[in-house]
């Protein structure tokens, strides 16, 4: 049966918008990886222009009419097809209505501001000087507050921004969840063992790169659909159906940092790759479900896989060969214990899996107060340093290792940070279910370096669902339970016992 003409018209218009959004992603990727420094201003204008254009297309009254016409045409479809189309159009209508609340001029100004802000943040971080970024960050906070006002909220301004990343989430509910998590983590941190790095000498970036470039394909992300580059802050992005980009950063004295950066970003790209394989891609239902679910995929590959003994039993000899080291220089047990060591650190992206969530809770508390007007931008370094001292017992020596360490605020991404801890909670719950379904998976990991069983499980239960379900529905369907932090705490306790 041929599709009603209005449905084809709607899909064509949607896919045109998606194509231009992918073009914007290309420009952002190039900004971080390839673009010369002096290109920042023109690039910000280019991104602003395309962002305004796609926003205009999304909010155009004629597109709304097309969507409404498509909804009416669903009655002509067989009952089996109707539900999928209904969900697709509901998602798009919600996205369009949300976009319609933002004036095109605001979208353009915000896109330009964030692109300029990134360059200024990077330079301020390099110079370890928050004052170089303070005024621009104040503009971003003001714009974010305005965005919250445009969206509207019934509780607090921060909820309107949080909804951008985790639909329906409320700061008060996350505060309760995080308080319970924090109370469980603090005693774990005290009892968790610390192990020294077995890398006593620098490892050349060329050697690290050789090893890191093996990892995406090993996990299931082929070279034909991806590439690995260097950026100031590791990230991944999808530039189209068969084009997934990953970046990491290298430090000669800490080779594990680049390795786990690649594992993390590969997890994100594997999810995007799975979404791209859904029928009729791209549609509103082939988008990622939430940032928390997205983060669950990266954290699962980084932690449950990447810090497992079975994973390292396979890659250990490869690492030794690529790094030009012997077993005597880097004994397996020393390496494995170091990978699972627990130590309070100042830098979030270098934090171990036990203390990581404490970093997220700190950021959540700060940005919530910032957006809700309880604290001011000018006071951020002092507030940050005080919280780090209280939570970790560590003294911040400069702004680069303190308030300037993360990229997110320069992107205007207020409300993003909580999704990291939600991702940790989801990933532990997903992996516990996978272990239950496949109790012998460790043999495939350790002996053959075969992770296809896990990837297939993720494709079937998570990736192939796209946005067809809500988060709670997906969790219940996949794990038979609502989201529950007990699996994360259980996983961390067992890891501490294993290496202790």
């Amino acid at each position: 049966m041929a599709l009603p003409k209005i449905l084809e018209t709607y899909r064509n218009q949607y896919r045109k918008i998606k194509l231009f959004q992918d073009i914007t992603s290309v420009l952002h990727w190039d900004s971080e990886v390839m673009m010369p420094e002096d290109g920042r201003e023109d690039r910000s204008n280019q991104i602003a222009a395309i962002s305004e254009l796609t926003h205009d297309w999304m909010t155009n009254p004629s597109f709304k009419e097309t969507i409404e016409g498509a909804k009416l045409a669903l009655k002509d479809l067989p009952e089996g097809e109707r539900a999928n189309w209904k969900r697709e159009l509901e998602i798009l209508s919600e996205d369009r209505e949300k976009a319609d609340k933002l004036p095109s001029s605001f979208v353009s100004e915000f896109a330009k501001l964030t692109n300029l802000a990134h360059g200024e943040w990077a330079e301020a971080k390099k110079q370890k000087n928050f004052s170089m970024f303070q005024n621009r960050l104040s503009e971003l906070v003001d714009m974010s507050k305005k965005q919250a006002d445009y969206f509207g909220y019934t509780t607090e301004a921060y909820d309107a921004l949080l909804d951008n990343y985790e639909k329906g989430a409320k700061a008060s509910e996350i505060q309760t969840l995080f308080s319970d998590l924090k109370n469980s983590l603090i005693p774990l941190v005290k009892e968790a063992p610390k192990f020294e790095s077995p890398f006593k000498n620098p490892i050349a970036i060329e050697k690290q790169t050789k090893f890191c470039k093996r990892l995406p394909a090993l996990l299931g992300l082929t070279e034909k659909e991806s590439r690995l580059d260097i950026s100031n802050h590791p990230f991944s992005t999808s530039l189209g159906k068969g084009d997934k980009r990953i970046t990491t950063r290298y430090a000669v004295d800490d080779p594990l940092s680049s390795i786990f950066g690649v594992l993390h970003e590969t997890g994100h790209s594997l999810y995007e790759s799975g979404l791209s394989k859904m029928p009729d891609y791209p549609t509103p239902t082939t988008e990622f479900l939430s940032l928390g679910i997205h983060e669950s995929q990266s954290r699962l590959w980084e932690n449950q896989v990447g810090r497992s003994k079975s994973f390292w039993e396979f890659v250990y000899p490869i690492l030794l060969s690529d790094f030009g080291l012997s077993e005597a220089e880097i004994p397996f047990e020393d390496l494995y214990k170091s990978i699972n060591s627990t130590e309070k650190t100042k830098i979030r992206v270098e934090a171990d899996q036990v203390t990581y969530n404490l970093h997220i809770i700190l950021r959540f508390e700060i940005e919530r107060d910032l957006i809700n007007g309880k604290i001011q931008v000018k006071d951020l370094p002092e507030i940050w340093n005080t919280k780090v001292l209280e939570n970790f017992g560590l003294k911040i020596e400069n702004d680069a290792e303190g308030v300037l360490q993360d990229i997110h605020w320069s992107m205007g991404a207020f409300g993003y940070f909580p999704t990291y801890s939600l991702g940790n909670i989801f990933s532990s719950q997903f992996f516990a279910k996978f272990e239950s379904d496949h109790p012998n998976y460790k043999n495939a990991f350790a002996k053959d370096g075969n992770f296809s069983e896990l990837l297939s499980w993720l494709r079937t239960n998570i990736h192939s669902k796209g946005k067809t379900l809500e988060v709670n529905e997906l969790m219940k369907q996949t794990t038979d339970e609502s989201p529950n932090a007990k699996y994360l705490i259980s996983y961390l306790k067992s890891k501490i016992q294993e290496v202790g």
Side-chain angles (χ1 to χ4, degrees):
M1 175 183 174
L3 281 177
K5 184 68 175 178
I6 188 69
L7 294 180
E8 291 185 7
T9 301
Y10 141 69
R11 278 266 179 92
N12 289 336
Q13 291 182 4
Y14 170 81
R15 285 172 174 167
K16 180 181 178 182
I17 293 171
K18 184 68 170 63
L19 282 172
F20 275 75
Q21 289 173 339
D22 287 344
I23 292 170
T24 305
S25 294
V26 174
L27 293 175
H28 277 296
W29 175 86
D30 181 73
S31 296
E32 308 309 319
V33 177
M34 304 290 290
M35 187 186 73
E37 185 177 347
D38 287 350
R40 180 69 58 184
E41 184 173 355
D42 275 356
R43 179 57 50 84
S44 68
N45 290 328
Q46 293 161 3
I47 290 173
I50 295 181
S51 297
E52 183 174 6
L53 184 65
T54 54
H55 182 266
D56 285 345
W57 287 341
M58 177 67 87
T59 58
N60 193 298
S62 67
F63 189 39
K64 181 179 181 180
E65 291 175 9
T66 300
I67 295 171
E68 295 305 315
K71 289 179 180 178
L72 293 175
L74 296 185
K75 67 181 186 302
D76 299 325
L77 294 179
E79 187 173 347
E81 294 183 36
R82 200 177 305 149
N84 292 334
W85 277 96
K86 184 172 183 290
R87 172 66 175 165
E88 178 177 328
L89 292 168
E90 284 175 350
I91 293 170
L92 184 63
S93 293
E94 290 175 1
D95 291 345
R96 204 209 70 83
E97 288 169 9
K98 192 166 189 176
D100 200 31
K101 293 178 180 180
L102 299 178
S104 294
S105 57
F106 175 88
V107 173
S108 175
E109 183 182 354
F110 197 64
K112 183 176 181 179
L113 184 63
T114 54
N115 196 258
L116 289 172
H118 173 77
E120 293 176 11
W121 161 78
E123 184 60 27
K125 183 180 179 183
K126 182 179 178 181
Q127 300 296 331
K128 304 177 182 179
N129 186 352
F130 177 75
S131 65
M132 296 173 63
F133 185 54
Q134 179 179 318
N135 290 340
R136 188 68 74 186
L137 182 57
S138 293
E139 291 182 64
L140 286 168
V141 170
D142 289 342
M143 288 284 283
S144 296
K145 289 179 180 178
K146 187 180 294 186
Q147 185 183 66
D149 289 337
Y150 281 132
F151 287 147
Y153 51 89
T154 57
T155 45
E156 58 183 86
Y158 187 71
D159 281 349
L161 304 182
L162 184 60
D163 191 72
N164 284 334
Y165 307 104
E166 203 68 25
K167 182 184 172 186
K170 301 296 182 186
S172 59
E173 296 171 357
I174 289 179
Q175 179 68 57
T176 300
L177 179 64
F178 283 5
S179 294
D180 293 341
L181 185 58
K182 188 175 182 179
N183 291 336
S184 297
L185 288 173
I186 289 174
L188 284 184
V189 173
K190 291 180 180 178
E191 68 181 68
K194 173 189 172 184
F195 301 99
E196 297 298 325
S197 171
F199 295 97
K200 305 306 179 186
N201 298 306
I203 304 296
I205 290 175
E206 293 77 11
K207 294 180 178 180
Q208 294 186 47
T209 301
K210 183 179 181 181
F211 179 75
C212 284
K213 285 194 171 182
R214 298 180 188 275
L215 297 176
L218 178 65
L219 302 187
L221 188 69
T222 68
E223 291 185 2
K224 287 186 176 181
E225 64 177 326
S226 67
R227 60 174 287 142
L228 173 64
D229 291 280
I230 301 173
S231 67
N232 188 50
H233 191 98
F235 72 95
S236 62
T237 188
S238 176
L239 306 187
K241 184 172 184 177
D243 191 352
K244 313 306 174 188
R245 306 295 176 94
I246 304 167
T247 72
T248 193
R249 61 185 177 197
Y250 297 95
V252 295
D253 58 346
D254 184 14
L256 292 177
S257 176
S258 61
I259 292 170
F260 283 97
V262 172
L263 291 173
H264 181 98
E265 302 306 340
T266 296
H268 280 305
S269 285
L270 282 170
Y271 183 30
E272 290 289 345
S273 176
L275 296 171
S276 297
K277 291 175 174 59
M278 290 180 68
D280 298 322
Y281 176 91
T283 71
T285 51
T286 64
E287 298 291 320
F288 66 86
L289 179 53
S290 77
L291 259 295
I293 295 298
H294 219 314
E295 193 63 22
S296 78
Q297 301 306 284
S298 60
R299 299 299 281 183
L300 186 150
W301 288 101
E302 177 189 358
N303 291 331
Q304 277 79 9
V305 175
R307 298 184 193 275
S308 69
K309 180 165 284 189
S310 54
F311 173 82
W312 281 98
E313 284 173 346
F314 180 78
V315 301
Y316 173 64
I318 302 173
L319 179 138
L320 292 181
S321 176
D322 288 348
F323 284 8
L325 298 170
S326 67
E327 291 187 36
E329 291 174 292
I330 306 287
F332 179 85
E333 285 301 320
D334 289 355
L335 175 62
Y336 183 63
K337 286 182 176 181
S338 173
I339 286 166
N340 288 286
S341 178
T342 298
E343 181 181 5
K344 295 177 181 179
T345 60
K346 301 175 186 178
I347 307 298
R348 175 186 66 87
V349 296
E350 296 172 4
D352 59 79
Q353 56 190 337
V354 179
T355 61
Y356 183 88
N357 292 291
L358 296 177
H359 286 268
I360 298 305
I361 293 169
L362 178 149
R363 287 154 175 76
F364 163 71
E365 292 171 349
I366 290 177
E367 67 176 23
R368 184 187 184 192
D369 285 347
L370 192 60
I371 295 301
N372 291 339
K374 294 183 179 180
I375 59 176
Q376 303 299 313
V377 169
K378 65 180 177 64
D379 299 320
L380 282 179
E382 181 181 354
I383 293 169
W384 185 287
N385 297 353
T386 299
K387 281 184 174 288
V388 170
L389 189 61
E390 291 174 352
N391 292 352
F392 298 96
L394 300 174
K395 184 179 179 181
I396 296 296
E397 301 295 338
N398 60 70
D399 292 334
E401 65 179 25
V403 70
L404 288 175
Q405 67 178 266
D406 290 307
I407 193 175
H408 302 66
W409 291 345
S410 74
M411 299 162 55
F414 295 97
Y416 191 122
F417 277 121
T419 65
Y420 285 119
S421 284
L422 292 176
N424 284 332
I425 291 169
F426 298 158
S427 67
S428 298
Q429 193 163 335
F430 285 141
F431 200 76
K433 178 60 175 172
F434 167 74
E435 286 184 305
S436 175
D437 292 347
H438 300 276
N440 298 317
Y441 74 93
K442 292 180 182 178
N443 289 330
F445 282 18
K447 293 181 180 179
D448 306 318
N450 187 341
F451 303 93
S452 60
E453 194 172 51
L454 172 58
L455 181 57
S456 177
W457 189 90
L458 294 171
R459 290 271 198 258
T460 300
N461 291 286
I462 300 164
H463 303 178
S464 66
K465 299 295 192 290
K467 221 170 185 176
T468 59
L469 304 169
E470 299 292 351
V471 171
N472 279 352
E473 292 174 330
L474 177 69
M475 296 299 294
K476 286 181 179 179
Q477 188 178 101
T478 304
T479 70
D480 302 321
E481 292 185 61
S482 296
N484 195 322
K486 69 180 182 182
Y487 293 99
L488 173 59
I489 299 301
S490 175
Y491 162 74
L492 293 174
K493 284 182 177 179
S494 65
K495 183 64 70 174
I496 290 170
Q497 291 171 357
E498 179 190 6
V499 299

